[in-house]
Amino acid sequence: MLDFVQLEADLDQEERMIRDTAREFVDEHVRPDIGDHFEEGTFPTELIPKMGELGFYAPNLEGYGSPNVSETAYGLLMQELEACDSGLRSMASVQGALVMYPIHAYGSEEQKEEWLPKLGQGEAVGCFGLTEPEHGSNPSGMETYATEDGDGYVLNGSKTWITNSPIADVAVVWARDRSADEEPVRGFLVETDRDGVTTNKITEKLSLRASITGEIGLNDVSVPEENVLPGVSGMKGPLSCLTQARYGIAWGAVGAARDAFEEARQYAQDREQFGGPIGRFQLQQGKLAEMATQITLAQLLAYRLAELKERGDMQPQHVSMAKRNNVRMARDQSRVAREMLGGNGITTDYSPMRHMANMETVYTYEGTHDIHTLVLGEELTGIPAYQ
Ligand code: FAD
């Protein structure tokens, strides 16, 4: 497995154990069927509790059943899951960073006790409803709103492109609170079996096919006051969750690229043309050399991000740079790997084209490549260029 500058040597025992557990899990339970899931547009939902049992959902949180592992261990976990498929890593990212994290950071004691153990064990599935049909890159324009009604709120609006919404038990829905001055954005825990909630599946995807994506319709949905996340108000709520998830993506994308690289490296040794393996041609070696270099650079950025996060110095702009760079790298390099596999490379028998297709989603969600460019532009010049 590619580890060109011996990063493995610095891992502690727990980090190795978590990485190996994830690697063995995907090899045994997911890899054999992942091509079929991708073709059929399905997710292996029967593995959701098993992933919980193995500690794949937010193990970097502390308490309520979460072991508080190092940020490097968490990153390695995301890397191994995405080395199998971005759909698998998306499952863990949404459940951990986008659902458990906001409950952990902003929830009441009752909300934490009710949801965190269940979500951590994969006994319940969560989803994160921020994006709307008319508001993607600019979520602060959201139109979903909550109005106070007796002891609770009534929610109206629609969310789209929501990972796992059709199979979720609970949605973290971000909505404007119309009862408060300036209508701040607040987080609501919405059980999906409440009257007025619909979660239609989006089926026409050509990317991230081994992941369930849907909408959330909210039509006069009543939720009690105790379902509001009390600890946060404003866009800081959803944006801070996205920072957590993007951290995992920066690591995960390296896994996808590494897997595509390994497939290409093997193929270059096995496939013979003109009387010998294609790996003896300088053109093919040049591709492998460039891929290995780009993967290694992205890996180094991910490891540095883990150090910053561990000591509390990681800023959103650091995450923007890593998400932006590492996903672009994985998108580019999985295409090169695909190309090295010739005609076989366009099938689901090999991983590179699946990773390449997945990367179109990963490049787009959690802040598009363009939006992260603007975040960096603002950081470097002090001038925001969003509008
Ligand atoms: P738009 O914002 O309409 O962007 C269209 C294009 O315009 C993009 O290229 C963009 O970069 C560009 N653009 C926009 N603004 C600017 C600007 N100021 N300057 C320059 N260029 C600009 N959302 C959730 O809330 N929860 C989820 O679980 C979730 N899962 C997803 C799963 C999948 C498979 C996909 C595809 C998306 C998911 N999303 C989710 C939504 C995702 O975050 C949005 O698609 C993303 O934020 C982009 O929004 P948009 O699709 O509306 O594109």
Side-chain angles (χ1 to χ4, degrees), residues 98-116:
L98 296 179
V99 180
M100 292 174 67
Y101 172 81
I103 296 173
H104 192 271
Y106 309 124
S108 65
E109 200 47 45
E110 293 73 31
Q111 289 168 348
K112 292 180 199 185
E113 276 166 20
E114 180 182 357
W115 287 109
L116 291 177

Side-chain angles (χ1 to χ4, degrees), residues 71-87:
E71 296 299 343
T72 302
Y74 177 75
L76 289 164
L77 168 62
M78 296 298 119
Q79 188 171 283
E80 294 309 318
L81 295 180
E82 198 147 2
C84 180
D85 193 86
S86 302

Side-chain angles (χ1 to χ4, degrees), residues 94 98 127-138 159-164 205 207-208 211 213 242 360-361 364-371 374 385-387:
V94 169
L98 296 179
C127 68
F128 178 85
L130 179 64
T131 304
E132 299 185 357
E134 304 304 327
H135 306 280
S137 294
N138 180 19
K159 302 286 179 181
T160 192
W161 291 116
I162 308 305
T163 302
N164 282 348
K205 291 182 299 170
S207 166
L208 208 72
S211 170
T213 316
L242 293 173
E360 294 304 316
T361 288
T364 298
Y365 73 9
E366 300 274 351
T368 68
H369 186 81
D370 292 335
I371 293 298
L374 301 183
Y386 302 92
Q387 284 146 15

